[in-house]
Amino acid sequence: AFLEYQARFVGHLRDPKAVERPVGASVRRMRVYTEIVFNNMEATLASCFPVCKTLLGVRRWRRLVRRFLAEHRCTTPWFRQISEEFARWLAATPDVLADLPVFFENLAHYEWVELSVAVADVPMPVADAAGDLLEERPVLAAPLLLLEYAFPVHHISPFFRPTQPAAEPTRLLVFRDAQDAVRFIELNAVTARLVQLLQGPARSGREAVAQVARELQHPDPAAVMTFGAELLATLRSEGAILGTIKDEKAL
């Protein structure tokens, strides 16, 4: 009897319109509980997805949060991870996305990433800040993610609501710099590929740039090397590259 009461109690907190309150429970007290649970969930999500909330408007946003609360079963007790659960729920629930703007899934992921990178428990790598970016191995900031979206998510606002994917995907590099600030940098296809290579097996900057030149089948590899050196220097000045290490043992 207690388990049945408990299940009805929690079910009503999640979805008070679909699940009746337990027999004997005070209407006034149950209303207080349902409001507290919903308001906490809404506030947690709104803090991570402010643009999503603004674009939907208060009513549509609250309906979306209510459905998430009613349908989804979070696998973590941490409030800061609920936003990730929300983004995953959106991606896995096509009928929800069908009623939302076409860019909404991309936008929600983009907004979640900032919190994810900000709270990630990842130590800052050790690197020589003045090291040779071509002859040694560039060390990327951590955490660092290379992302690609069908929509220009970093430009979406109440004044810009794209109705179809862009001709070229939006490539973003998001990382936490040495001052623990979360940074976003828009990349072109070549720079994104260079960063991707640096994320892979250990290689020097020169090796990574040379690989890009081969993939491009560029007629002047020396020119690509000069350009690549400039890209590496720019990424270091932006904080995405912390410096270099000379060999794998230095890790």
Side-chain angles (χ1 to χ4, degrees):
F2 171 73
L3 292 177
E4 182 179 350
Y5 183 95
Q6 188 179 53
R8 181 64 62 86
F9 185 92
V10 174
H12 185 75
L13 294 184
R14 287 182 175 276
D15 194 356
K17 290 185 177 180
V19 181
E20 293 184 2
R21 70 182 187 279
V23 176
S26 165
V27 174
R28 182 181 64 82
R29 290 182 178 179
M30 287 301 297
R31 185 179 298 115
V32 171
Y33 291 142
T34 56
E35 288 179 357
I36 289 174
V37 170
F38 178 82
N39 289 341
N40 281 342
M41 180 65 73
E42 192 280 328
T44 297
L45 294 176
S47 66
C48 183
F49 304 101
V51 180
C52 288
K53 178 179 179 178
T54 298
L55 294 180
L56 287 187
V58 175
R59 290 185 179 181
R60 289 183 72 190
W61 170 254
R62 289 177 67 87
R63 285 200 300 269
L64 183 62
V65 174
R66 176 60 71 187
R67 183 168 176 180
F68 171 68
L69 180 60
E71 296 181 2
H72 186 65
R73 298 298 179 265
C74 290
T75 59
T76 171
W78 296 101
F79 267 86
R80 70 183 187 185
Q81 293 178 353
I82 290 177
S83 55
E84 180 180 3
E85 299 257 5
F86 181 74
R88 288 181 175 177
W89 173 73
L90 283 175
T93 317
D95 64 312
V96 172
L97 291 174
D99 294 328
L100 298 172
V102 292
F103 55 78
F104 200 84
E105 180 184 351
N106 277 194
L107 178 61
H109 186 273
Y110 168 70
E111 292 203 277
W112 162 73
V113 160
E114 182 173 5
L115 173 63
S116 174
V117 171
V119 302
D121 186 14
V122 179
M124 187 65 68
V126 176
D128 177 5
D132 190 319
L133 292 170
L134 284 180
E135 303 308 326
E136 298 174 1
R137 180 188 177 189
V139 176
L140 297 172
L144 178 144
L145 297 172
L146 184 60
L147 306 172
E148 185 172 296
Y149 297 105
F151 296 88
V153 288
H154 54 314
H155 293 313
I156 294 175
S157 73
F159 308 102
F160 175 63
R161 304 172 187 239
T163 58
Q164 59 185 10
E168 285 289 326
T170 294
R171 303 174 183 87
L172 296 176
L173 186 66
V174 56
F175 60 94
R176 197 169 65 209
D177 65 19
Q179 288 71 48
D180 277 338
V182 178
R183 302 279 306 281
F184 287 86
I185 302 176
E186 184 174 4
L187 306 179
N188 59 30
V190 173
T191 308
R193 178 55 177 157
L194 179 60
V195 172
Q196 186 180 46
L197 289 170
L198 295 177
Q199 288 180 307
R203 51 167 53 92
S204 68
R206 183 178 297 279
E207 290 170 332
V209 175
Q211 177 64 30
V212 171
R214 286 192 293 271
E215 293 176 2
L216 292 174
Q217 296 182 341
H218 199 281
D220 187 355
V224 177
M225 190 62 63
T226 300
F227 178 65
E230 294 173 355
L231 286 180
L232 292 172
T234 298
L235 290 171
R236 177 160 60 182
S237 67
E238 293 286 348
I241 291 178
L242 301 176
T244 66
I245 54 175
K246 293 184 178 181
D247 53 57
E248 192 69 23
K249 293 180 181 180
L251 288 172

